[in-house]
Amino acid sequence: MTPDLLAPLDLAFWNMESAEHPMHLGALGVFAARSPTAGAHAADLLAARAAAVPGLRMRIRDVWPLGRPTAFGGAAREPAPEFDPLDHVTLHAPTADFQTEAGRLMQRPLDRERPPWEAHVLPGEDGVSFAVLFKFHHALADGLRALTLAAAVLDPLDLPAPRPRPAEPPRGLLPDVRALPRLVRGALSDVGRALDIGASVARSTLDVRSSAALTAPSTGTRRTAGVVVDLDDVHRVRKAVGGTVNDVLIAVVAGALRRWLDERGDGSDAVAPRALIPVSQRRPRTAHPQGNRLSGYLMRLPVADPDPLGRLAAVRTAMDRNKDAGPGRGAGAVALLADHVPALGHRLGGPLVGQAARLWFDILVTSVPLPSLGLKLGGNPVTAVYPYAPLARGQSLAVAISTYRGQVHYGLVADAGAVPDLDRFARALSEEVETLITACGP
């Protein structure tokens, strides 16, 4: 079977990883247990079902040119010659704190010699709940792809089938002469876009007004926390002041940062952290093809504004400006530049890119879509889903958001050494929602 070469962005994620800065996504699903043995049964189900999911059998390995000079220094997905799902699904001892265990497990890199994913089943000491932490390397899956892989080992859902992709015509050694004008125009357009993105990245590093709390030296340790917000409260704010649900959720992060920094004594009046807002280029019905499809928006969070509605208005304006420009331009689209770097460049420059992330943005704020249908495992329903994003070198905090069945779940990942008070930031998120509701009036 011919190996499936990693897309440029996948290759970048694979090569920028280090032992202290693993590049895996995570999601902690909390389930209502129908019996005290539900967790153990869930682990057995996950192992049995994983064996039948082709995407979970794929490992990543280095490749030679394979007849394509641009592949030199690259990597490819291929079926693992030996795959034992029991190596990837672990049943842990009962715990009273799912988030503490999740932080410890998120800290540990995935085994790069095996298919890069894991599932950890955490029975609750109360006997009425259990949790499953899924970890997927970013080179294996982006958010939507990870959702697809996780859904494949949960109880079946009645989801619409993905639209078939049209088959690409076979390529000859040379391009069709009739297509040359279009190819030239496309190449010039790509160059122009790359220059535009590069200039925007350079401008974004000027006049940086961030906080040392967000860019403290990394220790390689991890803590996680989760916050639940009623989606009706978010809609109440949105209906009162306009904008989108996402605008409100980002403004909540900005207000929580202000509260948290003030409580720490770090001061927030002169701070405007740069937030990267990833934008998926993949449609939900085409989530099955492999490879990351990501761009992003870059914006300064209005932490210094003392008015909660002023912060929300500033977020809305910035997001509208980003949407008008589109996800293909601006500093937030820097991920698209990966397509213009040869494989060997990713291999040699990956560690440098990982270190340079802190020069580009200060905090990641990403949204992960979830199906509105109820998720179950072994008949046990999901009650909460907390997504986790990877931390780049030199960054202390990442925020991931999911909406599931009338609730918004904030999943927080922090460097445990730089942010020992992650629980205080989690509390500030809840308080900021209440502040916005009050500011909107009855």
Side-chain angles (χ1 to χ4, degrees):
M1 180 176 180
T2 303
D4 174 28
L5 287 175
L6 293 189
L9 186 55
D10 301 346
L11 189 59
F13 287 136
W14 188 247
N15 285 302
M16 72 173 61
E17 180 176 64
S18 67
E20 296 78 21
H21 298 88
M23 290 300 298
H24 53 253
L25 311 170
L28 181 71
V30 181
F31 295 79
R34 300 195 302 176
S35 73
T37 61
H41 179 54
D44 292 339
L45 280 177
L46 290 174
R49 292 172 178 176
V53 180
L56 297 179
R57 303 174 64 93
M58 304 297 286
R59 69 170 183 174
I60 296 175
R61 69 172 182 89
D62 298 336
V63 297
W64 292 100
L66 298 175
R68 294 170 55 184
T70 56
F72 184 72
R77 299 181 190 86
E78 65 175 12
E82 296 181 2
F83 175 72
D84 185 350
L86 295 178
D87 291 336
H88 298 265
V89 179
T90 304
L91 175 64
H92 294 260
T95 179
D97 189 340
F98 296 141
Q99 291 290 348
T100 296
E101 290 300 306
R104 180 180 64 83
L105 294 167
M106 284 294 292
Q107 178 176 314
R108 187 174 69 188
L110 294 166
D111 187 342
R112 293 168 68 94
E113 299 300 318
R114 300 190 309 203
W117 69 275
E118 293 175 351
H120 297 271
V121 181
L122 310 171
E125 283 187 351
D126 55 14
V128 299
S129 64
F130 68 91
V132 178
L133 174 67
F134 289 101
K135 293 167 57 178
F136 297 99
H137 200 285
H138 218 329
L140 178 70
D142 56 13
L144 277 174
R145 174 69 176 166
L147 174 62
T148 301
L149 292 173
V153 293
L154 297 178
D155 293 354
L157 287 174
D158 185 18
L159 294 176
R163 295 176 180 175
R165 302 178 73 191
E168 295 186 2
R171 298 181 180 181
L173 295 177
L174 296 174
D176 188 333
V177 173
R178 294 169 297 180
L180 285 177
R182 175 177 55 81
L183 293 173
V184 170
R185 288 195 301 271
L188 292 175
S189 176
D190 286 347
V191 170
R193 184 173 62 172
L195 291 174
D196 180 52
I197 294 171
S200 297
V201 171
R203 288 193 298 269
S204 75
T205 62
L206 301 176
D207 188 29
V208 174
R209 291 179 291 141
S210 186
S211 167
L214 297 177
T215 55
S218 302
T219 66
T221 57
R222 295 290 181 270
R223 294 190 66 188
T224 64
V227 178
V228 181
V229 173
D230 194 318
L231 184 57
D232 286 342
D233 289 340
V234 177
H235 280 299
R236 179 177 171 183
V237 174
R238 178 191 61 79
K239 291 177 181 178
V241 300
T244 68
V245 166
N246 203 40
D247 293 341
V248 177
L249 298 178
I250 295 172
V252 167
V253 173
L257 285 172
R258 178 179 176 84
R259 289 173 180 271
W260 177 60
L261 292 174
D262 285 343
E263 287 181 11
R264 281 176 143 232
D266 290 343
S268 60
D269 290 336
V271 174
R274 296 160 300 172
L276 176 64
I277 317 293
V279 178
S280 176
Q281 302 287 81
R282 185 198 303 275
R283 295 181 179 180
R285 290 194 176 189
T286 59
H288 289 280
Q290 297 174 346
N292 279 275
R293 307 287 197 275
L294 290 174
S295 180
Y297 298 141
L298 196 69
M299 63 178 294
R300 291 194 178 274
L301 295 177
V303 172
D305 191 335
D307 177 19
L309 295 184
R311 290 192 292 268
L312 177 52
V315 167
R316 181 182 177 186
T317 299
M319 288 299 289
D320 286 346
R321 186 183 305 117
N322 277 318
K323 292 172 185 175
D324 288 343
R329 290 189 177 273
V334 70
L336 299 178
L337 295 181
D339 292 337
H340 302 273
V341 178
L344 186 60
H346 284 297
R347 178 172 296 279
L348 298 178
L352 295 176
V353 172
Q355 295 181 30
R358 58 189 171 88
L359 301 177
W360 168 35
F361 65 96
D362 305 305
I363 184 172
L364 181 73
V365 183
T366 183
S367 296
V368 181
L370 292 177
S372 58
L373 299 174
L375 301 172
K376 295 181 180 180
L377 178 57
N380 304 286
V382 171
T383 60
V385 181
Y386 300 99
Y388 301 130
L391 275 184
R393 184 183 296 274
Q395 294 176 334
S396 304
L397 178 65
V399 180
I401 309 167
S402 67
T403 302
Y404 177 69
R405 309 207 81 182
Q407 292 183 322
V408 177
H409 298 94
Y410 283 90
L412 312 177
V413 176
D415 185 288
V419 186
D421 54 348
L422 184 61
D423 56 332
R424 293 172 64 183
F425 178 69
R427 184 173 66 248
L429 286 168
S430 298
E431 293 170 349
E432 183 63 17
V433 174
E434 295 300 323
T435 296
L436 280 169
I437 292 173
T438 302
C440 290

